[in-house]
């Protein structure tokens, strides 16, 4: 069964550094998403992406965050200057249509020190 | 405002019993609901979904019930197995937003052999 893959599984970075989290969505899916989960808290929506542009974003997704689909297979989340509170699990997801179920990857654990 | 919450943070059952996990939501504009299972170290895994024009949907060993009158959603797992042990999240999508899922806090299901 096709799946969403994310790399790396764990990223440690120093405060103020830039990080790029990478995702390969399911190949025939058209909608892409980033969610995050701070330890012990709910999974939170960050951003959705369709047709090479952001469809919707949350208040968490400020100017420090950006997304990109650099080629036909990858979908990335960049955090320009990481803060301690950015430490979380970041999940990439994709869906075939805007109304179909989201399929999630296994996440990247980001630790900001 | 939007909120999705779970009545029981933990549920412990014996192998072979049926499990019922509950979820309350407050946004009457929500029109689509999904149950996800999350095992340790993995991303949310789609279990079953239901649209607001239905009140029941069945899958393999799972049934989702939707009561729009009281804004309540439940997941029933038949003949629970040790492999069902995980955190279960309900998520809702608000009508008019194709992209953003709002997740509940999660219920930890433990299946005792």
């Amino acid at each position: 069964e096709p799946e969403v893959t994310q790399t790396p599984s764990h990223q440690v970075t120093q405060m103020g550094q830039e990080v790029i989290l990478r995702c390969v969505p399911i190949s025939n899916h058209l909608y892409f998403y980033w969610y995050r989960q701070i330890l012990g808290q709910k999974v939170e929506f960050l951003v959705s992406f369709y047709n090479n542009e952001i469809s919707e974003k949350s208040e968490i997704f400020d100017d420090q965050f950006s997304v990109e689909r650099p080629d036909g297979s990858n979908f990335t989340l960049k955090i320009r200057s990481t803060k301690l509170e950015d430490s979380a699990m970041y999940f990439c997801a994709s869906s075939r249509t805007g109304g179909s179920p989201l399929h999630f990857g296994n996440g990247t654990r980001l630790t900001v020190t | 405002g939007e909120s999705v919450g779970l009545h029981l943070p933990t549920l412990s059952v014996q192998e072979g019993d049926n499990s019922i996990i509950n979820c309350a939501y407050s946004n009457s504009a929500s029109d689509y609901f999904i149950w996800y299972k999350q095992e340790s170290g993995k991303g949310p895994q789609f279990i079953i979904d239901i649209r607001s024009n239905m009140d029941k949907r069945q899958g393999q060993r799972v049934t989702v019930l939707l009561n729009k009158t009281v804004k309540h959603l439940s997941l029933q797992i038949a003949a629970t197995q040790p492999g069902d042990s995980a955190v279960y999240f309900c998520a809702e999508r608000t009508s008019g937003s194709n992209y953003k899922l709002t997740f509940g806090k999660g219920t930890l299901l433990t299946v005792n052999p």
Side-chain angles (χ1 to χ4, degrees), chain B residues 25-83:
Chain B
Y25 66 95
S26 62
N27 192 341
S28 57
S30 292
D31 63 355
Y32 178 59
F33 305 87
I34 307 179
W35 280 101
Y36 283 95
K37 171 187 179 183
Q38 187 176 26
E39 297 173 282
S40 180
K42 295 188 177 180
Q45 177 187 356
F46 171 79
I47 302 174
I48 192 167
D49 58 359
I50 189 167
R51 301 192 186 276
S52 58
N53 60 354
M54 303 172 69
D55 52 22
K56 180 179 180 179
R57 192 158 188 232
Q58 288 185 289
Q60 188 178 16
R61 280 200 308 118
V62 294
T63 300
V64 55
L65 299 177
L66 175 63
N67 185 331
K68 293 182 288 294
T69 302
V70 295
K71 299 192 188 72
H72 185 266
L73 191 70
S74 68
L75 177 70
Q76 300 177 2
I77 305 173
T80 316
Q81 302 166 1

